[in-house]
Amino acid sequence: MSASEQRPAATDGGLSKARVVAEAVRLADREGVHGLSMRRLATELGAGAMSLYHYVASRDELLDAMVDVVFDEIELLSDDTDWRSAMRRQAMSARQVLARHPWAISLMESRTTPGPANVRHREAFTACLRKAGFSIVMATHANWLLNSYVYGYALQEASLPFRTADELAEMTDSVYLPQLPADEFPYLHESAVGLAQAGYDPGEEFAFGLELILAALEPLRTSDARGA
Amino acid sequence: MSASEQRPAATDGGLSKARVVAEAVRLADREGVHGLSMRRLATELGAGAMSLYHYVASRDELLDAMVDVVFDEIELLSDDTDWRSAMRRQAMSARQVLARHPWAISLMESRTTPGPANVRHREAFTACLRKAGFSIVMATHANWLLNSYVYGYALQEASLPFRTADELAEMTDSVYLPQLPADEFPYLHESAVGLAQAGYDPGEEFAFGLELILAALEPLRTSDARGA
DNA sequence: TAGTACAGTGTACGACGTACAGTGTACGAA
DNA sequence: TTCGTACACTGTACGTCGTACACTGTACTA
């Protein structure tokens, strides 16, 4: 039984599940999930550690709720444009949000029960594809493919120490090239040099793969009801 | 400084870094990363907890090493076939391995320094694509796209409670349909019904998306030196 | 035989999640 | 006005965690 139905929303200065979870998200953003302890979180909220358990059954349930809050930050698919624009917007938003909350990505694996925001997104996703003329099975394929790309990309991005072309260039000189001698790793070495020379911008990478996938999905539509 | 260079390989009955890490992987497979404690691992190895620190600098370093052991289980790309077959084999193997060690996926996010097996794979990957006629930038795109798909797929798969068509059918009846009323989630409801009726096999899903991606990458090749 | 190196350990410390037995305040009933 | 009750909130305590540190014993060299 979820604790959200046991406690009111609390508009005054007191605690509430929403307040606890929101602060937990902020804390995790700053310090990672590892740094998020019940005691620490309680202090941040100006409360005793055990007070939190009035709003959250356990640390595990808190993590579930945090993941769902993150899902809720992702822009919901609107169906007032063609499916490709809608999917693109949603994917871009998801990537942005997951970059803000990298801890959420790795939390997904261990949480088996999807929260309400998660389900809402899946419904909107499926709705959009079905309306665009994808069959049930093809819509499922598209769902897996796109979500895999978005989550996988976010996961890889989270473990990268650079964001911009400049940062990459700096890392290339100071770390990659010294660690990737041309005789042992000729291709990685060549790549590191080539990318730096070409002014490769890692910020554009996501969009490239996304467009490729969207284009590849296009032929899977069986009718073209709405969304061409 | 890595502990691997400080301690010998130990062929006799004693401990060794390899032995410690291997047992840690086994333990994590059984109980998850959360269940993997230094004391528990030591007991499993018939040693005192503090003995482990002769082979591993910290729990964190142990986790790094475990992730790299998992990478090492993935089949290394061979370049004796066309690039698509090679990529397919590698991706299939990666997905299999990650399904065996789901904890490794979420660990990737927090580990910023890739281990030797990881680098070896990236080198082989890049080599294969370059030899197949991809430019440096296009090979990078392909690398991101494919890896994102594989990791993202594994991540999603890890949080699913079913593996086969039968298990899905059972879950559909007992969990999904009751929780997805047709009036609130019409499209998810329709999907659940439709997939069960069509005998949809989740085990085939990975290959579908993979083929789509491989086909989409084909036109990015600038020459067709080796690998058509 | 003494010295030394080093694999392996026991104890202890601070931090963790959380069970449990409280406390205080607010408010309706008398 | 007084009492009863409900409930938001908390302090203490327990078992477990990672690991610093000082220690053991054994094996091998001088």
Side-chain angles (χ1 to χ4, degrees), chain B residues 32 54 68 74 79 100 128 142 148 152 185 191 196:
Chain B
H54 277 259
D68 211 52
I74 299 173
D79 49 1
R100 258 204 310 273
C128 176
S148 294
F185 304 105
S191 269

Side-chain angles (χ1 to χ4, degrees), chain A residues 7 47-48 50-51 54-55:
Chain A
R7 299 290 160 208
M50 294 311 292
S51 307
H54 277 259
Y55 306 96

Side-chain angles (χ1 to χ4, degrees), chain B residues 60-74:
Chain B
D60 243 43
E61 207 218 62
L62 173 64
L63 294 179
D64 277 335
M66 290 168 65
V67 169
D68 211 52
V69 160
V70 169
F71 265 108
D72 213 30
E73 279 184 32
I74 299 173

Side-chain angles (χ1 to χ4, degrees), chain A residues 10-27:
Chain A
T11 51
D12 59 338
L15 262 48
S16 73
K17 175 154 183 176
R19 198 116 60 193
V20 168
V21 176
E23 190 61 44
V25 168
R26 255 193 301 275
L27 193 51

Side-chain angles (χ1 to χ4, degrees), chain A residues 3 7 23 33 37 39 44 64 92 100 108 114 128 140 143 148 153 155 167 171-172 174 207 212 221-222 224:
Chain A
R7 299 290 160 208
E23 190 61 44
V33 230
S37 79
R39 280 174 240 253
E44 216 75 36
D64 277 335
M92 292 287 207
R100 258 206 306 275
M108 288 183 43
C128 176
T140 305
N143 206 318
S148 294
Y153 191 94
L155 186 66
E167 282 172 17
M171 288 293 294
T172 300
S174 66
L212 219 66
R221 293 165 62 202
T222 43
D224 65 5

Side-chain angles (χ1 to χ4, degrees), chain A:
Chain A
M1 192 177 305
S2 150
S4 63
E5 291 120 0
Q6 300 173 350
R7 299 290 160 208
T11 51
D12 59 338
L15 262 48
S16 73
K17 175 154 183 176
R19 198 116 60 193
V20 168
V21 176
E23 190 61 44
V25 168
R26 255 193 301 275
L27 193 51
D29 288 345
R30 285 206 309 274
E31 327 239 345
V33 230
H34 190 73
L36 170 73
S37 79
M38 299 303 271
R39 280 174 240 253
R40 182 76 204 282
L41 175 56
T43 308
E44 216 75 36
L45 287 160
M50 294 311 292
S51 307
L52 304 181
Y53 288 90
H54 277 259
Y55 306 96
V56 149
S58 65
R59 184 171 191 266
D60 243 43
E61 207 218 62
L62 173 64
L63 294 179
D64 277 335
M66 290 167 66
V67 169
D68 211 52
V69 160
V70 170
F71 266 108
D72 213 31
E73 279 185 32
I74 299 173
E75 206 174 299
L76 200 60
L77 265 159
S78 67
D79 47 2
D80 55 0
T81 49
D82 62 304
W83 72 274
R84 278 170 77 158
S85 307
M87 291 286 155
R88 182 164 32 235
R89 270 186 79 85
Q90 202 264 358
M92 292 287 207
S93 167
R95 182 249 183 152
Q96 238 175 60
V97 169
L98 291 177
R100 258 206 306 275
H101 312 293
W103 45 267
I105 310 164
S106 43
L107 242 43
M108 288 183 43
E109 174 255 319
S110 44
R111 330 267 117 211
T112 40
T113 41
N118 191 338
V119 177
R120 213 153 46 230
H121 267 98
R122 298 194 108 89
E123 170 73 11
F125 203 105
T126 313
C128 176
L129 290 170
R130 296 286 288 132
K131 287 179 191 160
F134 287 85
S135 72
I136 291 182
V137 170
M138 284 304 157
T140 305
H141 288 328
N143 206 318
W144 272 93
L145 178 47
L146 262 163
N147 280 328
S148 294
Y149 177 65
V150 172
Y151 298 147
Y153 191 94
L155 186 66
Q156 291 191 89
E157 198 177 24
S159 67
L160 281 188
F162 53 81
R163 287 284 112 101
T164 66
D166 285 349
E167 282 172 17
L168 170 58
E170 198 195 300
M171 288 293 294
T172 300
D173 288 343
S174 66
V175 182
Y176 293 140
L177 287 186
Q179 279 184 12
L180 297 172
D183 52 346
E184 198 177 353
F185 303 104
Y187 287 97
L188 286 179
H189 187 92
E190 179 205 42
S191 270
V193 173
L195 291 179
Q197 275 176 359
Y200 168 79
D201 181 1
E204 302 290 332
E205 185 60 58
F206 181 74
F208 185 92
L210 180 58
E211 292 307 325
L212 219 66
I213 289 180
L214 290 175
L217 288 175
E218 181 72 55
L220 300 186
R221 293 165 62 202
T222 43
S223 77
D224 65 5
R226 294 191 52 197

Side-chain angles (χ1 to χ4, degrees), chain B residues 7 47-48 50-51 54-55:
Chain B
R7 300 288 162 211
M50 293 311 293
S51 305
H54 277 259
Y55 304 98

